[in-house]
């Protein structure tokens, strides 16, 4: 039998969640327009909406917050964070931002010209938004297998080099401001990219003088998969692997709210001196001084400590294997999920879960709402609703992956919580035939999944 590592932490502070009755949950989700984003947190017993900003901080991080230097300029916590990012990621320059999308905004605004193309290994909502808002077209160059939930590959987040070459041939290298390489790939199910693929992408880009920027939001999870799955890395530390990964990039955007083990924070990092100068000018306008970028001193201290904790093997092993435990229980019961299980969550395949619904009947949105009603477990739609509409045709992007994401916050839940979620999903799966689809009753024009409202189809 597979061994799942025990929690490598002791619990020092506890939070008592509410446990609503079924009737109360039905009323709560109706009031939230059947959108789990619009539920009150206090109405959720187990909150798997996201792993973003939901991390439990360590006693060392909390202690670090007490030495927050809240000076407007030159905070010592910034110097600590800056030195830590340079040491662990290997970049020459760092610009702080309030969270990941702040970094995406600066990078996209500085590098993208209207009419250009930004290729990436599958889209992410906020990342693509900033690319498109600056006039670029996003092109998905992830391997085909990433769009098939059933195919089990060790590095399903890899870039297809033929697709990248074909785009260069089609639009010309001068029309590609940079390549966006995400480690891991969120919407593919938290799938990692191999070191070999990163090396090969670098080689191809060097031939054309193309820049590669990583979305390093979940890079420690990616590094763990490299250690466990790729030849030649078993004896390397997570820190060594992370450094090698970023040696193949020109820079990165980071949401510290995930693998930074904090509740708020981010950065943009790069090696190019001129880009750094321009980013420092811009950060003042949108985020704050280049010595805080929208974060308080105490947040920056916690972030610096969080980066150091996130590369500890016992931490990252438990993190990823706890998620595998939930996934393995569902697979054993025949529940359709994206395979293999990724680094930050388990993704239910809503098309196979609710085969009687068409994609226009929003199977993933429907399933997320019903999982909450049945169990108090909050999850997130990652399908046609998150996909949004094509800016040119106005039609829905209809992603092949129609999923419900059970995203596990770091260091927050135990295996017993995984069992509760697994039991609820298995029970829902057995009774899935009676579930009716949803339709939009309010659709916001941008990033619609956050605030949209739904009701049952007629
Ligand atoms: N991800 C998530 O739940 C939070 C918002 S949902 C739109 O998965 C990647 C790969 C992310 C990500 C956020 C961001 C943006 C960039 N890249 O939320 O702005 O998963 O810190 O980061 C969310 P911020």
């Amino acid at each position: 039998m597979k061994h799942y590592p025990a929690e490598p932490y002791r619990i020092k502070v506890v939070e008592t969640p509410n446990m609503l009755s079924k009737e109360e949950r039905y009323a709560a989700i109706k009031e939230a327009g059947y959108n789990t984003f619009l539920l009150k947190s206090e109405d959720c017993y187990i909150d798997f909406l996201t792993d973003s900003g939901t991390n439990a901080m360590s006693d060392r991080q909390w202690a670090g917050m007490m030495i927050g230097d809240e000076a407007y300029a030159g905070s010592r916590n910034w110097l600590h964070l800056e030195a830590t990012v340079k040491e662990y990621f290997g970049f020459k320059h760092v610009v702080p931002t309030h969270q990941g999308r702040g970094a995406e905004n600066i990078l996209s605004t500085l590098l993208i010209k209207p009419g250009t193309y930004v290729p990436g290994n599958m889209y992410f909502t906020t990342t693509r938004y900033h690319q498109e808002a600056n006039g670029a077209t996003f092109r998905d160059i992830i391997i085909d297998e990433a769009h098939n939930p059933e195919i089990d590959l060790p590095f399903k987040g890899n870039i297809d080099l033929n697709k990248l070459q074909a785009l260069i041939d089609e639009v010309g290298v001068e029309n590609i401001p940079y390549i966006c390489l995400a480690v891991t790939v969120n919407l593919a199910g938290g799938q990692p990219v191999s070191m070999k693929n990163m090396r090969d992408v670098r080689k191809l880009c060097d031939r054309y003088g193309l820049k590669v920027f990583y979305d390093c939001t979940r890079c420690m999870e990616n590094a763990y998969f490299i250690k466990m799955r790729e030849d030649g890395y078993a004896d390397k530390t997570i820190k060594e692997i992370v450094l090698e990964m970023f040696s193949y990039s020109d820079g990165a955007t980071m949401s510290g709210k995930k693998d930074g083990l904090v509740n708020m924070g981010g950065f943009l990092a790069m090696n190019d001196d001129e880009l750094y100068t321009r980013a420092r000018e811009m950060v003042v306008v949108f985020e704050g001084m280049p010595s805080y970028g929208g974060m308080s001193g105490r947040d920056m201290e916690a972030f610096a400590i969080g980066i150091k904790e996130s590369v500890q093997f016992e931490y990252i092993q438990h993190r990823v294997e706890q998620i595998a435990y939930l996934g393995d229980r569902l697979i054993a019961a025949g529940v359709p999920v994206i395979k293999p299980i990724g680094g930050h969550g388990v993704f239910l395949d809503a098309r196979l879960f609710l085969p009687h619904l068409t994609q226009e009947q929003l199977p993933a949105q429907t399933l997320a709402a019903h999982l909450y009603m049945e169990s108090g477990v909050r999850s997130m739609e990652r399908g046609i609703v998150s996909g949004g509409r094509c800016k040119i045709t106005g039609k829905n992007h209809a992603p092949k992956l129609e999923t419900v994401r059970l995203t596990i916050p770091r260091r927050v839940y135990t295996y017993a919580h995984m069992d509760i979620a697994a039991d609820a999903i298995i029970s829902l799966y057995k009774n899935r035939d009676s579930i009716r689809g949803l339709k939009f009753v309010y659709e916001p024009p941008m990033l619609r999944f956050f605030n949209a409202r739904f009701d049952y189809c007629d």
Side-chain angles (χ1 to χ4, degrees), residues 65-341:
M65 291 191 85
M66 292 306 292
I67 53 164
D69 170 2
E70 307 303 341
Y72 191 78
S75 160
R76 69 169 165 263
N77 312 116
W78 160 242
L79 297 177
H80 184 195
L81 177 60
E82 184 186 36
T84 306
V85 174
K86 287 182 177 179
E87 181 187 338
Y88 283 74
F89 293 79
F91 293 118
K92 197 168 162 197
H93 304 298
V94 193
V95 177
T97 59
H98 76 285
Q99 61 184 94
R101 67 198 72 180
E104 291 168 353
N105 178 34
I106 295 174
L107 182 71
S108 307
T109 308
L110 290 179
L111 293 187
I112 292 174
K113 291 197 179 65
T116 55
Y117 295 81
V118 179
N121 49 345
M122 204 173 269
Y123 86 100
F124 183 71
T125 51
T126 59
T127 322
R128 188 180 68 189
Y129 173 80
H130 287 292
Q131 292 160 357
E132 289 178 346
N134 284 284
T137 301
F138 169 78
R139 280 292 185 87
D140 186 5
I141 55 165
I142 202 166
I143 56 171
D144 285 342
E145 292 86 341
H147 293 280
N148 185 333
E150 290 294 310
I151 298 179
D152 193 336
L153 285 179
F155 293 105
K156 226 173 151 182
N158 280 354
I159 280 184
D160 182 332
L161 294 164
N162 293 327
K163 287 187 189 171
L164 178 54
Q165 182 67 61
L167 182 71
I168 296 170
D169 296 342
E170 180 195 333
V171 304
V173 70
E174 65 284 4
N175 288 314
I176 303 179
Y178 61 93
I179 296 175
C180 180
L181 196 162
V183 285
T184 58
V185 185
N186 187 349
L187 296 192
Q191 304 297 338
V193 178
S194 71
M195 195 72 88
K196 179 178 183 318
N197 192 246
M198 290 182 229
R199 218 177 285 127
D200 290 345
V201 169
R202 180 77 267 170
K203 268 191 220 143
L204 180 59
C205 289
D206 280 349
R207 288 224 308 272
Y208 292 96
L210 271 172
K211 291 189 170 63
V212 190
F213 280 86
Y214 285 14
D215 179 338
C216 63
T217 295
R218 297 184 180 85
C219 59
M220 311 311 181
E221 290 157 13
N222 201 105
Y224 175 75
F225 284 122
I226 289 177
K227 185 175 169 71
M228 305 313 283
R229 295 178 181 173
E230 192 162 352
D231 284 348
Y233 289 93
D235 295 331
K236 294 218 188 291
T237 63
I238 299 294
K239 187 178 175 187
E240 286 167 336
I241 296 172
V242 169
L243 264 178
E244 184 182 342
M245 284 164 59
F246 290 100
S247 72
Y248 304 125
S249 77
D250 293 288
T253 54
M254 172 64 161
S255 169
K257 303 172 71 166
K258 285 83 167 175
D259 274 2
L261 281 174
V262 281
N263 307 118
M264 187 48 80
F267 61 76
L268 169 64
M270 71 287 280
N271 294 322
D272 185 277
D273 297 336
E274 197 201 321
L275 179 63
Y276 172 58
T277 305
R278 293 173 66 211
R280 266 175 71 93
E281 288 160 6
M282 210 179 142
V283 80
V284 186
V285 181
F286 288 101
E287 307 281 321
M289 283 289 283
S291 61
Y292 72 87
M295 287 179 278
S296 55
R298 53 183 174 269
D299 286 340
M300 292 190 284
E301 189 62 27
F303 193 0
I305 298 168
I307 290 170
K308 293 175 192 179
E309 291 181 356
S310 69
V311 300
Q312 288 167 7
F313 182 72
E314 290 70 23
Y315 154 72
I316 195 71
Q317 180 193 34
H318 169 265
R319 156 85 184 139
V320 175
E321 300 302 338
Q322 186 188 48
I323 294 164
Y325 172 80
L326 173 59
D328 290 347
R329 274 216 54 200
L330 296 177
I331 291 169
V335 176
V337 298
I338 293 194
K339 296 188 194 95
I341 302 301

Side-chain angles (χ1 to χ4, degrees), residues 25-26 29-30 33-37 39 348-351 353-375 377-386 402-405 425 428-429 431-440 449 452-458:
R25 294 196 298 268
Y26 272 61
I29 193 78
K30 192 168 181 207
Y34 298 95
N35 184 350
T36 53
F37 272 105
L39 283 167
L348 305 178
D349 183 342
R351 285 179 198 265
F353 203 113
L354 300 175
H356 55 287
L357 301 187
T358 65
Q359 195 171 21
E360 296 292 323
Q361 290 172 314
L362 316 179
Q365 191 70 42
T366 305
L367 182 53
H370 277 262
L371 178 59
Y372 171 75
M373 288 191 264
E374 291 311 312
S375 63
V377 174
R378 172 155 73 166
S379 57
M380 188 192 288
E381 191 270 5
R382 296 275 80 161
I384 192 168
V385 176
S386 296
E402 178 72 24
T403 65
V404 170
R405 191 183 71 171
I425 294 162
L428 200 58
Y429 187 58
N431 299 302
R432 60 194 183 278
D433 291 346
S434 58
I435 297 176
R436 281 162 58 209
L438 293 172
K439 62 179 182 198
F440 279 97
F449 52 93
R453 299 185 73 82
F454 306 89
D455 205 346
Y456 283 104
C457 297
D458 305 322

Side-chain angles (χ1 to χ4, degrees), residues 403-453:
T403 65
V404 170
R405 191 183 71 171
L406 303 149
T407 342
I408 314 303
R410 295 168 184 78
R411 307 193 287 208
V412 174
Y413 293 106
T414 63
Y415 286 98
H417 290 107
M418 302 301 134
D419 280 333
I420 289 174
D423 291 343
I425 294 162
I426 293 165
S427 151
L428 200 58
Y429 187 58
K430 286 183 184 146
N431 299 302
R432 60 194 183 278
D433 291 346
S434 58
I435 297 176
R436 281 162 58 209
L438 293 172
K439 62 179 182 198
F440 279 97
V441 290
Y442 165 61
E443 182 185 342
M446 287 173 295
L447 297 174
R448 62 184 181 181
F449 52 93
F450 282 128
N451 288 311
R453 299 185 73 82

